[in-house]
Amino acid sequence: KKTGSDILLSFSTQMTMIAWWNRQGTGNTGRLLEMYYPGATFTHGHSLAIDNDGSVRGWMDRNGAGYARVLELDDATTYTSGWHMLAYTYDGSNARLYVDGEQTVTSAGSYSDLDDVANIAIGGATATYYADAYIGPVQIYNRGLSAEEVLQNYNALKGRFS
């Protein structure tokens, strides 16, 4: 059994984060999934988040960039009720944000030094950035899933959350 600093997820050039959520309250910007590296605070890492207005976003941090967010994607649509699946993928060339299996935002950028992570927080790492939501399955991949694979993930589980 490995725990704590024994676990290290290495992303180097690609990654995917997926989380199912059902928002319960308003007024808080909350993290659905937060991954951060050893010795860092919860604010520096790769994240999926719900903003206080019901919009969603995802981002990555770059190694050696002074905790700089790169390819932060925001979907301004308001998701206030019901279950939804949020996915953030990066394939080495493009970052994409998906909601319910559909791509909503994309951005090009090439980064070969993504941060590795050892700590994972589901629902928020602190009381300040907690997600006021029910959270379902969470998935993490060390590669960028294709649009077809994201849609497959959504279709495989949507019946459980209808």
Side-chain angles (χ1 to χ4, degrees):
K1 178 179 174 184
K2 293 184 175 188
T3 59
S5 61
D6 295 334
I7 300 171
L8 184 65
L9 299 176
S10 180
F11 296 112
S12 70
T13 60
Q14 297 189 25
M15 65 175 292
T16 298
M17 300 179 287
I18 298 175
W20 281 83
W21 91 98
N22 184 335
R23 187 171 179 166
Q24 298 300 299
T26 60
N28 183 59
T29 298
R31 308 292 201 271
L32 297 170
L33 175 60
E34 185 88 27
M35 301 185 296
Y36 50 101
Y37 42 92
T41 64
F42 69 93
T43 58
H44 304 119
H46 315 305
S47 298
L48 293 174
I50 308 171
D51 283 338
N52 56 8
D53 63 358
S55 63
V56 293
R57 72 170 105 164
W59 67 83
M60 304 179 297
D61 268 357
R62 278 183 58 203
N63 219 352
Y67 308 120
R69 287 183 185 176
V70 294
L71 296 176
E72 183 170 3
L73 303 179
D74 294 299
D75 179 344
T77 306
T78 300
Y79 302 94
T80 56
S81 63
W83 282 95
H84 299 281
M85 186 190 88
L86 178 62
Y88 181 99
T89 68
Y90 180 65
D91 64 8
S93 300
N94 294 287
R96 294 177 177 89
L97 195 66
Y98 298 82
V99 178
D100 298 337
E102 297 291 324
Q103 183 177 316
T104 62
V105 184
T106 187
S107 182
S110 180
Y111 298 100
S112 61
D113 56 352
L114 300 180
D115 284 330
D116 293 334
V117 300
N119 303 303
I120 298 172
I122 298 171
T126 71
T128 304
Y129 294 106
Y130 71 93
D132 193 1
Y134 295 123
I135 299 174
V138 170
Q139 297 165 291
I140 302 165
Y141 296 85
N142 64 352
R143 65 184 182 87
L145 295 185
S146 68
E148 294 79 18
E149 290 171 312
V150 172
L151 184 58
Q152 259 182 337
N153 272 281
Y154 174 71
N155 287 331
L157 294 176
K158 72 178 180 182
R160 295 183 188 180
F161 299 102
S162 301

